[in-house]
Amino acid sequence: MIRMSRVGIIGYGISKFGKRTDASMYDLIWEAGSEAIKSSGVDKKDIDYMVVSNMGIFSSEELAAVVAGEVLGIKNAGLHRVEAACASGSSAIASAYDAIRSGRSKIAIAVGIEKMSEVESETAIELIGRAGDFLWEYEFFGLTFPGYYALYATAYLNRYGGREEDLALVSVKNHHYAHLNPIAHFNNEISVEDVMKSRYIASPLKLYDSSPITDGSAAVVLASEDVAKQYTDTPVWIDGIGSNLGTANLSKRSDFLHIEAAREAAAKAYRMAKIDQDKPYKHLDGADVHDCFSIAELMAYEDLGFAERGKALDMIRNDETYIGGKIPVNVDGGLISKGHPIGATGVSMAVEASKQLLRKAENGRQIDVRNGRFLAHNVGGTGHYAYVTIYSI
Amino acid sequence: MPEYIAKDEKSRNPLLVDMRSLNIRYRIPVSRIEKFYESLDRGIIMGTKCPVCGSRFFPPQAWCSECGFSGDMEFYPLDTHGHLLTFTRIFAKPKSFSGFGDYTVGIAHLDRENINVLAWIDDAIQKPEVGMEISIKVEKRKEDNATVYFISKP
């Protein structure tokens, strides 16, 4: 029997997230990628595989992957771009993992990049909205991404007796932690009142229920077990990856109370990492979940098995996802306040997992590392793609 | 500075304002579901049914994703009676809908078809509620004069 090598993260880097009118796609990739390579200690000549996650439609450069190779001065690596909408970053991690696990690569780099502010907001809203089922959801009905998630929110609040104030609690928590995270898009604390007073984007979701249009990049260097140990005593291992697809057309889902693809992805990741699916949070120290909108964080609690169906409302009302609660969630600020540069988000979750597990998070937002495991939940589109990745030390 | 360099209004950072603008309009083949559009023009909404396994589809499709049948799917008029599953009112609109007023989108379940339909909710329904009875009706939309189906009063 061939012994399969584990795969570990040996270096990471992340750019400041925000409306970065000071930085081009090239500059952002340099900020994240050069830091990742430097922190790993590898010579860039030894990187033999490169994968770049980028949705790409927001910015002038069509081929972000070749830009990334040139920016970082990588010359002898295999290269491709991956797209899984908002879960593109996690799909890049999965691709690098597979390349190393198969023995095809020894040292790989995954770079996530999105430069969204090259187009004006109305156009960005249009380009994301078109990522539903174009002919049957967009062409005639002009669905937007807040709109798709608002359809979940209306159904969820109605079914489980939630209020808009409950959704606001997600944004309040995530802004609280973003204000402690120097790379976050937003650095201000907000109150439930602030959220409630913000304007409707797609009812019942308001401006502060929504992730912003963000520029940013994140990168990680990964290596096989034998190679990783030559560079660091503390690689961050990938213990499990689960991914699943969902229907293109939202109306074909069985209900609008959960994201089936995410439930399936979680089950697969837990199985691979040998984590008890009954109370998985007992085996984890924290999680980053895909809170593109406040309602998405609540559904994630349930899809990941942190709460029973309908009970995510109690979790957020009882502060159970703050540090010190049942399981800290999105203590980097989440997509809502750290920002959501689409192709970079999943890679930024790997960066956050590494920082947290290595106890390198900033004051006030460092989780208690006991089990040595951190989960990243990354959903693409309206539940079109889902990735759940489990990191460990 | 050359004429194509402009300052960002907020940050005052210099930006190169691209001189190449692009206007894309797609041409989408619909020959396999042509019957759907012919019927829509007569006010009838068609789904498709698989002659082998009986699976029903809306939006209509010319193959069966359930049993794998590839041939003549049966076009049939949907029984449009149903109830509203969820809805949202879109305030922040995309660029190509910027000329429209705010609009309400819903997903309805057609009770006798076991099929969901996503569409705008007709103005006649002033206060949509989850669970309310609805039907699907074809109308000329006043904003763009397009023939479309709406979630409407029964």
Side-chain angles (χ1 to χ4, degrees):
Chain A
M1 198 176 113
I2 301 165
R3 191 174 161 274
M4 298 275 261
S5 169
R6 285 199 289 175
V7 177
I9 292 173
I10 58 170
Y12 58 83
I14 192 161
S15 76
K16 168 89 175 95
F17 281 14
K19 190 177 179 196
R20 294 289 309 273
T21 57
D22 64 310
S24 68
M25 175 184 274
Y26 288 71
D27 300 323
L28 292 169
I29 290 170
W30 175 253
E31 285 180 28
S34 64
E35 189 188 333
I37 294 170
K38 195 173 157 198
S39 68
S40 72
V42 305
D43 187 321
K44 64 180 191 243
K45 287 199 225 43
D46 295 325
I47 295 174
D48 57 25
Y49 184 74
M50 181 168 188
V51 52
V52 176
S53 49
N54 173 247
M55 195 158 161
I57 52 182
F58 309 98
S59 47
S60 48
E61 287 294 348
E62 285 196 2
L63 305 180
V66 295
V67 169
E70 187 174 304
V71 166
L72 299 174
I74 292 172
K75 296 189 173 69
N76 296 307
L79 172 69
H80 72 149
R81 180 178 88 176
V82 289
E83 177 279 310
C86 315
S88 298
S90 291
S91 77
I93 304 277
S95 172
Y97 175 91
D98 290 346
I100 293 169
R101 192 86 196 238
S102 70
R104 199 156 62 85
S105 164
K106 289 282 182 200
I107 300 176
I109 185 167
V111 179
I113 170 70
E114 210 70 60
K115 177 68 193 165
M116 298 182 72
S117 73
E118 277 192 16
V119 291
E120 77 271 34
S121 303
E122 264 191 336
T123 301
I125 293 168
E126 167 113 21
L127 292 170
I128 310 171
R130 284 169 174 251
D133 178 336
F134 180 81
L135 186 55
W136 300 94
E137 294 177 333
Y138 191 83
E139 170 72 34
F140 294 101
F141 308 125
L143 253 292
T144 60
F145 252 76
Y148 290 113
Y149 274 89
L151 292 169
Y152 284 112
T154 301
Y156 186 96
L157 296 180
N158 182 271
R159 172 67 174 270
Y160 297 121
R163 301 184 311 150
E164 292 180 27
E165 286 83 350
D166 295 317
L167 298 178
L169 294 171
V170 173
S171 305
V172 170
K173 171 179 68 71
N174 294 352
H175 272 79
H176 168 69
Y177 287 116
H179 117 101
L180 301 166
N181 184 357
I183 66 100
H185 190 149
F186 297 129
N187 297 112
N188 57 316
E189 296 233 41
I190 56 166
S191 64
V192 169
E193 271 184 357
D194 293 329
V195 183
M196 294 303 291
K197 276 193 287 191
S198 67
R199 67 189 162 91
Y200 278 114
I201 299 296
S203 64
L205 300 178
K206 294 177 272 305
L207 185 66
Y208 281 156
D209 286 300
S210 314
S211 52
I213 291 164
T214 301
D215 304 321
S217 180
V220 291
V221 176
L222 304 102
S224 58
E225 188 163 3
D226 51 333
V227 176
K229 286 180 173 167
Q230 294 166 26
Y231 290 95
T232 175
D233 296 331
T234 53
V236 172
W237 304 109
I238 296 176
D239 283 359
I241 298 179
S243 67
N244 211 86
L245 54 79
T247 60
N249 193 310
L250 183 71
S251 71
K252 293 193 173 187
R253 309 277 167 78
S254 59
D255 66 37
F256 306 99
L257 306 169
H258 81 296
I259 292 178
E260 186 62 24
R263 288 181 87 80
E264 291 291 336
K268 289 176 186 176
Y270 289 146
R271 259 200 308 278
M272 184 171 164
K274 298 187 172 62
I275 286 179
D276 166 25
Q277 297 194 31
D278 189 30
K279 289 187 170 125
Y281 52 88
K282 289 196 165 176
H283 308 276
L284 300 164
D285 296 320
D288 256 17
V289 308
H290 196 87
D291 61 323
C292 48
F293 302 95
S294 50
I295 181 63
E297 180 162 324
L298 296 186
M299 291 194 294
Y301 296 170
E302 297 173 18
D303 292 339
L304 292 167
F306 299 169
E308 304 270 310
R309 295 286 289 268
K311 299 292 184 197
L313 288 165
D314 291 337
M315 251 190 127
I316 194 71
R317 285 171 188 154
N318 298 332
D319 294 347
E320 287 176 31
T321 49
Y322 279 82
I323 290 171
K326 193 167 163 186
I327 179 166
V329 174
N330 288 338
V331 302
D332 57 355
L335 283 59
I336 284 181
S337 347
K338 184 176 81 172
H340 180 27
I342 292 179
T345 290
V347 183
S348 83
M349 290 175 170
V351 172
E352 174 66 5
S354 304
K355 282 183 77 166
Q356 289 291 349
L357 290 171
L358 297 171
R359 298 180 174 84
K360 288 184 177 169
E362 290 75 12
N363 279 343
R365 60 172 219 90
Q366 174 63 54
I367 59 172
D368 194 7
V369 181
R370 285 185 207 164
N371 300 301
R373 278 180 153 167
F374 191 94
L375 178 148
H377 158 279
N378 194 191
V379 175
T382 67
H384 294 132
Y385 309 83
Y387 279 80
V388 172
T389 313
I390 293 162
Y391 298 93
S392 76
I393 46 164
Chain B
M1 280 289 192
E3 58 287 349
Y4 44 77
I5 304 290
K7 291 268 170 130
D8 178 62
E9 280 178 24
K10 271 192 191 160
S11 65
R12 307 306 293 161
N13 285 318
L15 298 171
L16 188 153
V17 181
D18 180 11
M19 292 176 286
R20 314 291 145 233
S21 80
L22 184 65
N23 181 5
I24 298 180
R25 191 182 291 274
Y26 296 109
R27 286 167 171 77
I28 304 166
V30 292
S31 60
R32 308 261 169 94
I33 52 166
E34 196 176 0
K35 282 179 190 161
F36 169 81
Y37 292 103
E38 282 169 4
S39 302
L40 191 73
D41 206 35
R42 288 183 281 117
I44 298 161
I45 301 150
M46 297 282 222
T48 54
K49 200 186 288 180
C50 174
V52 176
C53 74
S55 294
R56 294 166 179 228
F57 297 95
F58 186 85
Q61 60 183 61
W63 65 94
C64 180
S65 327
E66 293 302 317
C67 76
F69 172 76
S70 183
D72 285 335
M73 292 284 276
E74 185 190 327
F75 280 78
Y76 76 104
L78 295 178
D79 181 329
T80 61
H81 180 85
H83 64 277
L84 189 62
L85 295 175
T86 186
F87 61 90
T88 177
R89 189 156 180 84
I90 310 277
F91 293 90
K93 293 178 285 289
K95 187 155 194 177
S96 64
F97 281 83
S98 59
F100 291 66
D102 300 336
Y103 45 89
T104 305
V105 183
I107 299 176
H109 185 73
L110 305 188
D111 296 338
R112 282 186 280 273
E113 302 288 353
N114 199 24
I115 271 171
N116 294 338
V117 176
L118 180 146
W120 279 18
I121 296 179
D122 198 308
D123 285 345
I125 300 178
Q126 286 190 344
K127 205 173 172 304
E129 277 175 32
V130 172
M132 75 191 302
E133 275 191 67
I134 57 87
S135 72
I136 310 292
K137 287 177 187 161
V138 181
E139 290 169 41
K140 273 265 191 221
R141 183 159 64 187
K142 55 183 181 297
E143 286 87 346
D144 57 357
N145 207 32
T147 306
V148 279
Y149 47 94
F150 281 81
I151 295 172
S152 193
K153 285 188 171 176

